[in-house]
Amino acid sequence: MKKLVVVFTTAVMLFSCGKKEKSEEDFSTGGANTETKADPSSYDPNRGLGKYTTVEFGDKLDIAMATEGEKIQSVKCSACHKLTDEKLVGPGWKGVTERNKPEWIMNFITNPDPMIDKDPKLQAQLELCLLRMPNQSLNDTDARNVLEYMRQNDGVK
């Protein structure tokens, strides 16, 4: 009987350690979308890959959103990114909203892996930084707040 328990336990352990398929969550639900299937020939370098096709801003900076974005940045982003143009682990944030469209930034914040695989700018940046930006699993609101903080950092009033 002991041998049967050992064999059964070993079989369960081996089975549970086997290859697991990646699960794809629906990007629109705020889940971490680990992979976006897209035709590489249809990649738009102004928009990137992801669900954001347009991002609307108000007439001026939303201070409440920027304040929330600053909190998120201090926890999830500041270990790798400085607010200046100086590289830390990743590139500095100064001027990021002037160099990239808001849709591109939102898609990259929420969907970094497929964009790194397809975007020539990001591939060049990867050669400099040597590390891929991790997916921080930000929901839509958090990502938009971080974008507003980036705008504040770039001098939008």
Side-chain angles (χ1 to χ4, degrees):
M1 183 67 168
K2 255 185 175 177
K3 286 183 181 180
L4 183 59
V5 171
V6 170
V7 169
F8 180 74
T9 304
T10 303
V12 168
M13 288 173 49
L14 288 173
F15 180 74
S16 67
C17 294
K19 181 179 177 187
K20 295 184 180 176
E21 298 295 321
K22 284 185 182 178
S23 66
E24 292 185 38
E25 295 181 34
D26 182 359
F27 195 56
S28 62
T29 63
N33 186 8
T34 58
E35 186 175 349
T36 298
K37 291 185 175 27
D39 177 9
S41 65
S42 68
Y43 180 76
D44 181 352
N46 293 312
R47 187 178 71 80
L49 285 175
K51 71 178 185 177
Y52 297 99
T53 57
T54 60
V55 176
E56 300 294 326
F57 295 126
D59 291 337
K60 57 185 183 174
L61 187 76
D62 186 319
I63 299 297
M65 288 176 72
T67 300
E68 288 302 309
E70 182 177 16
K71 292 176 188 174
I72 296 162
Q73 183 273 344
S74 70
V75 172
K76 295 199 173 211
C77 310
S78 64
C80 295
H81 299 282
K82 290 190 174 193
L83 297 176
T84 64
D85 57 0
E86 186 180 354
K87 176 184 170 284
L88 189 56
V89 175
W93 277 12
K94 184 168 180 57
V96 72
T97 62
E98 297 160 1
R99 291 187 306 272
N100 300 289
K101 294 196 174 276
E103 298 81 14
W104 186 95
I105 295 170
M106 289 290 290
N107 283 324
F108 183 53
I109 289 172
T110 58
N111 199 31
D113 290 321
M115 282 192 57
I116 292 168
D117 293 340
K118 305 260 187 306
D119 190 289
K121 282 191 301 190
L122 291 173
Q123 290 170 356
Q125 192 67 50
L126 180 59
E127 288 183 24
L128 295 173
C129 295
L130 304 176
L131 290 173
R132 294 173 74 91
M133 184 170 111
N135 189 333
Q136 296 291 340
S137 300
L138 296 181
N139 64 35
D140 295 344
T141 302
D142 288 347
R144 181 60 183 84
N145 290 341
V146 168
L147 175 58
E148 199 69 5
Y149 180 60
M150 288 175 164
R151 292 179 69 220
Q152 181 182 45
N153 187 58
D154 284 341
V156 174
K157 303 282 182 200

